[in-house]
Amino acid sequence: MPSDIEFMRLAIEQAERAGREGEVPVGAVLVRGEEVIAAGANRPIGAHDPTAHAEIEALRAGGRELGSYRLTDTTLYVTLEPCAMCAAAIVHARVRRVVFGAWDPKAGAAGSILNLFAVPALNHRVDVFGGVLMQECAALLQSFFAARRA
């Protein structure tokens, strides 16, 4: 059975793809059981769409693949802690579990600036686990922004 690390490596591949395309390197894969059912890479710049974060792209593709907006019994692997928009979409999609790599101290909504997943009034609970391959995920972002500043 593949591990969280193996699935996170697939999300890192998506992040690298986003970076090659000039997007902030964030990637995501959506898994049901042992099968990757969808993937997404950041593309708000290329898509001219502020909602085209890697998580949203993976959720949209997963919905098409499963024929439903309810993505129950899935795990979303993402290289960066989800923002508030993505965290809300994950809750509404009924994703069972989120595993992320790097923490986002500026916009993270899984504990860094707020924890949207812990809001008691929301109608679905998502298990969240952060820090998987954290250094590798953070290094992608650091090199991307360092190159931009150079």
Side-chain angles (χ1 to χ4, degrees), residues 79-82 100-115 128-132 134 137-138 141:
T79 58
L80 182 64
E81 178 184 3
F100 67 88
W103 293 87
D104 185 352
K106 294 184 180 180
S112 285
I113 62 166
L114 67 110
N115 189 349
V128 181
F129 185 73
V132 174
M134 179 172 57
C137 294
L141 293 159

Side-chain angles (χ1 to χ4, degrees), residues 125-148:
R125 294 289 162 260
V126 179
D127 292 330
V128 181
F129 185 73
V132 174
L133 298 179
M134 179 172 57
Q135 286 81 10
E136 289 179 46
C137 294
L140 279 173
L141 293 159
Q142 290 163 349
S143 359
F144 177 82
F145 288 113
R148 290 273 197 232

Side-chain angles (χ1 to χ4, degrees), residues 4-149:
D4 286 347
I5 289 172
E6 292 168 291
F7 287 125
M8 186 61 74
R9 289 202 190 286
L10 296 175
I12 289 171
E13 289 175 14
Q14 292 295 314
E16 290 168 339
R17 189 183 95 195
R20 286 191 300 274
E21 295 174 4
E23 303 279 357
V24 175
V26 179
V29 294
L30 186 65
V31 174
R32 179 180 264 177
E34 297 180 24
E35 179 187 0
V36 174
I37 59 169
N42 245 16
R43 57 184 218 99
I45 297 166
H48 310 291
D49 180 355
T51 69
H53 289 193
E55 300 96 310
I56 302 296
E57 294 294 298
L59 294 175
R60 287 175 178 157
R64 286 190 298 272
E65 178 66 24
L66 297 177
S68 175
Y69 73 96
R70 298 247 171 133
L71 305 175
T72 56
D73 298 322
T74 60
T75 299
L76 183 68
Y77 293 87
V78 60
T79 58
L80 182 64
E81 178 184 3
C83 69
M85 173 186 71
C86 292
I90 290 163
V91 169
H92 288 294
R94 309 298 197 277
V95 170
R96 181 178 53 83
R97 187 169 171 251
V98 171
V99 177
F100 67 88
W103 293 87
D104 185 352
K106 294 184 180 180
S112 285
I113 62 166
L114 67 110
N115 189 349
L116 199 98
F117 297 108
V119 173
L122 294 176
N123 64 344
H124 177 70
R125 294 289 162 260
V126 179
D127 292 330
V128 181
F129 185 73
V132 174
L133 298 179
M134 179 172 57
Q135 286 81 10
E136 289 179 46
C137 294
L140 279 173
L141 293 159
Q142 290 163 349
S143 359
F144 177 82
F145 288 113
R148 290 273 197 232
R149 288 189 288 275

